[in-house]
Coordinates of all heavy atoms in Angstrom, one line a residue:
S8 N 134.7 81.2 80.2 CA 134.4 80.0 81.1 C 135.5 79.7 82.1 O 135.3 79.1 83.1 CB 134.1 78.8 80.2 OG 135.3 78.5 79.5
G9 N 136.7 80.2 81.8 CA 137.8 80.0 82.7 C 137.9 81.0 83.8 O 138.8 80.9 84.7
E10 N 137.1 82.0 83.7 CA 137.1 83.1 84.7 C 136.4 82.8 86.0 O 135.2 82.4 85.9 CB 136.5 84.4 84.1 CG 136.6 85.6 84.9 CD 138.0 86.0 85.2 OE1 138.7 86.2 84.2 OE2 138.3 86.1 86.4
K11 N 137.1 82.8 87.1 CA 136.5 82.4 88.4 C 135.9 83.6 89.1 O 135.0 83.5 89.9 CB 137.4 81.7 89.3 CG 138.6 82.5 89.8 CD 139.4 81.8 90.8 CE 140.5 82.7 91.3 NZ 140.8 82.5 92.7
D12 N 136.4 84.8 88.8 CA 135.9 86.0 89.5 C 134.6 86.5 88.9 O 134.3 86.3 87.8 CB 137.0 87.1 89.4 CG 138.3 86.7 90.1 OD1 138.3 85.9 91.0 OD2 139.3 87.3 89.7
Y13 N 133.9 87.2 89.8 CA 132.6 87.8 89.3 C 132.8 89.1 88.6 O 133.9 89.7 88.7 CB 131.7 88.0 90.5 CG 131.3 86.8 91.3 CD1 131.8 86.6 92.6 CD2 130.5 85.9 90.7 CE1 131.5 85.4 93.2 CE2 130.1 84.7 91.4 CZ 130.6 84.5 92.7 OH 130.3 83.3 93.3
S14 N 131.9 89.4 87.8 CA 131.9 90.7 87.1 C 131.9 91.9 88.1 O 132.6 92.9 87.9 CB 130.8 90.9 86.1 OG 130.8 89.8 85.1
M15 N 131.0 91.7 89.1 CA 130.9 92.7 90.2 C 130.6 91.9 91.4 O 129.7 91.0 91.4 CB 129.9 93.7 89.9 CG 129.9 94.9 90.9 SD 128.9 96.2 90.3 CE 129.2 97.4 91.6
E16 N 131.3 92.3 92.5 CA 131.0 91.7 93.8 C 131.0 92.7 94.9 O 131.7 93.7 94.8 CB 132.2 90.7 94.1 CG 131.9 89.8 95.3 CD 133.0 88.7 95.5 OE1 134.0 88.7 94.7 OE2 132.8 87.9 96.4
A17 N 130.1 92.5 95.9 CA 129.9 93.4 97.0 C 130.5 92.8 98.3 O 130.2 91.7 98.6 CB 128.4 93.8 97.1
K18 N 131.1 93.7 99.1 CA 131.7 93.2 100.4 C 131.5 94.4 101.4 O 131.6 95.5 101.0 CB 133.2 92.9 100.3 CG 133.5 91.8 99.4 CD 133.6 90.6 100.2 CE 134.1 89.4 99.4 NZ 133.8 88.2 100.0
G19 N 131.3 94.0 102.6 CA 131.4 94.9 103.7 C 132.9 95.1 104.0 O 133.7 94.3 103.7
I20 N 133.3 96.3 104.5 CA 134.7 96.6 104.6 C 135.4 95.6 105.5 O 136.6 95.3 105.4 CB 134.9 98.1 105.1 CG1 136.4 98.5 104.9 CG2 134.5 98.2 106.6 CD1 136.7 98.9 103.5
G21 N 134.7 95.0 106.5 CA 135.3 94.0 107.4 C 135.2 92.6 106.9 O 135.6 91.7 107.6
S22 N 134.6 92.4 105.7 CA 134.4 91.0 105.2 C 135.7 90.3 104.9 O 136.7 91.0 104.6 CB 133.6 91.1 103.9 OG 132.4 91.7 104.1
A23 N 135.7 89.0 104.8 CA 136.8 88.3 104.4 C 137.1 88.6 102.9 O 136.2 88.8 102.1 CB 136.6 86.8 104.5
K24 N 138.4 88.8 102.6 CA 138.8 89.2 101.3 C 139.2 87.9 100.5 O 139.9 87.1 101.1 CB 139.9 90.2 101.2 CG 139.8 91.4 102.2 CD 138.5 92.1 102.1 CE 138.5 93.2 103.1 NZ 138.0 93.0 104.4
L25 N 138.8 87.8 99.3 CA 139.2 86.6 98.5 C 140.4 86.9 97.7 O 140.8 88.0 97.6 CB 138.0 86.2 97.6 CG 136.7 85.9 98.4 CD1 135.6 85.6 97.4 CD2 136.9 84.7 99.3
S26 N 140.9 85.9 97.1 CA 142.1 86.1 96.2 C 141.7 86.5 94.8 O 142.1 85.9 93.9 CB 143.0 84.8 96.2 OG 142.2 83.7 95.7
T27 N 140.9 87.5 94.7 CA 140.4 88.0 93.4 C 141.4 89.0 93.0 O 142.1 89.6 93.7 CB 139.0 88.6 93.5 OG1 139.0 89.6 94.4 CG2 138.0 87.5 94.0
R28 N 141.4 89.3 91.7 CA 142.2 90.4 91.1 C 141.2 91.3 90.3 O 141.2 91.2 89.1 CB 143.2 89.8 90.2 CG 144.4 89.2 90.9 CD 145.2 90.2 91.6 NE 146.3 89.5 92.4 CZ 146.4 89.7 93.7 NH1 145.6 90.5 94.4 NH2 147.4 89.1 94.4
P29 N 140.5 92.2 91.0 CA 139.6 93.1 90.3 C 140.3 94.1 89.5 O 141.4 94.5 89.8 CB 138.8 93.7 91.4 CG 139.6 93.6 92.6 CD 140.5 92.4 92.5
D30 N 139.7 94.6 88.5 CA 140.2 95.7 87.7 C 139.9 97.0 88.3 O 140.6 98.0 88.1 CB 139.6 95.7 86.3 CG 139.9 94.3 85.6 OD1 141.1 94.0 85.4 OD2 138.9 93.6 85.3
L31 N 138.8 97.1 89.1 CA 138.4 98.3 89.8 C 137.9 98.0 91.2 O 137.1 97.0 91.3 CB 137.3 99.0 89.0 CG 136.7 100.2 89.6 CD1 137.7 101.4 89.8 CD2 135.5 100.7 88.8
I32 N 138.4 98.6 92.2 CA 137.9 98.5 93.5 C 137.3 99.9 93.9 O 137.9 100.9 93.8 CB 139.0 98.2 94.5 CG1 139.6 96.8 94.3 CG2 138.5 98.3 96.0 CD1 140.7 96.4 95.2
L33 N 136.0 99.8 94.3 CA 135.3 101.0 94.8 C 135.2 100.8 96.3 O 134.7 99.8 96.8 CB 133.9 101.1 94.2 CG 133.9 101.3 92.7 CD1 132.4 101.2 92.2 CD2 134.4 102.6 92.3
I34 N 135.6 101.8 97.1 CA 135.4 101.9 98.5 C 134.6 103.1 98.8 O 135.0 104.2 98.5 CB 136.8 102.0 99.3 CG1 137.7 100.8 98.9 CG2 136.5 102.0 100.8 CD1 139.1 101.0 99.5
D35 N 133.3 102.9 99.2 CA 132.4 104.0 99.3 C 131.9 104.1 100.8 O 131.3 103.2 101.3 CB 131.2 103.7 98.4 CG 130.2 104.9 98.3 OD1 130.5 105.9 98.9 OD2 129.2 104.7 97.6
D36 N 132.2 105.2 101.4 CA 131.8 105.5 102.8 C 132.1 104.3 103.7 O 131.2 103.7 104.3 CB 130.3 105.9 102.9 CG 130.1 107.3 102.5 OD1 131.0 108.1 102.8 OD2 129.0 107.6 102.0
P37 N 133.4 103.9 103.9 CA 133.7 102.7 104.7 C 133.6 102.9 106.2 O 133.6 101.9 106.9 CB 135.1 102.4 104.3 CG 135.7 103.8 104.0 CD 134.6 104.6 103.4
Q38 N 133.4 104.1 106.7 CA 133.4 104.3 108.1 C 132.1 104.8 108.6 O 131.5 105.8 108.1 CB 134.5 105.3 108.5 CG 134.8 105.3 109.9 CD 136.1 106.1 110.2 OE1 136.4 107.1 109.5 NE2 136.9 105.6 111.1
E39 N 131.6 104.2 109.7 CA 130.4 104.7 110.4 C 130.7 106.0 111.1 O 131.8 106.1 111.7 CB 129.9 103.7 111.4 CG 129.3 102.4 110.8 CD 127.9 102.5 110.2 OE1 127.3 103.6 110.4 OE2 127.5 101.5 109.6
P40 N 129.8 106.9 111.1 CA 130.1 108.2 111.8 C 130.5 108.0 113.3 O 131.4 108.7 113.8 CB 128.7 109.0 111.7 CG 128.1 108.4 110.5 CD 128.5 107.0 110.4

């Protein structure tokens, strides 16, 4: 109940980044051809 971060969250590469501390960051195909 004290955890403010989500279990999983999705962002576009250019999205505003929050002050989260994820255990795993996945960056998948971040660049348009």
Side-chain angles (χ1 to χ4, degrees):
S8 62
E10 184 62 56
K11 69 174 184 146
D12 296 333
Y13 296 112
S14 300
M15 187 169 186
E16 186 173 6
K18 296 265 187 200
I20 199 76
S22 302
K24 314 310 179 272
L25 302 176
S26 60
T27 61
R28 289 287 176 237
D30 302 297
L31 174 63
I32 293 178
L33 296 172
I34 303 172
D35 188 3
D36 280 329
Q38 192 169 39
E39 293 282 354

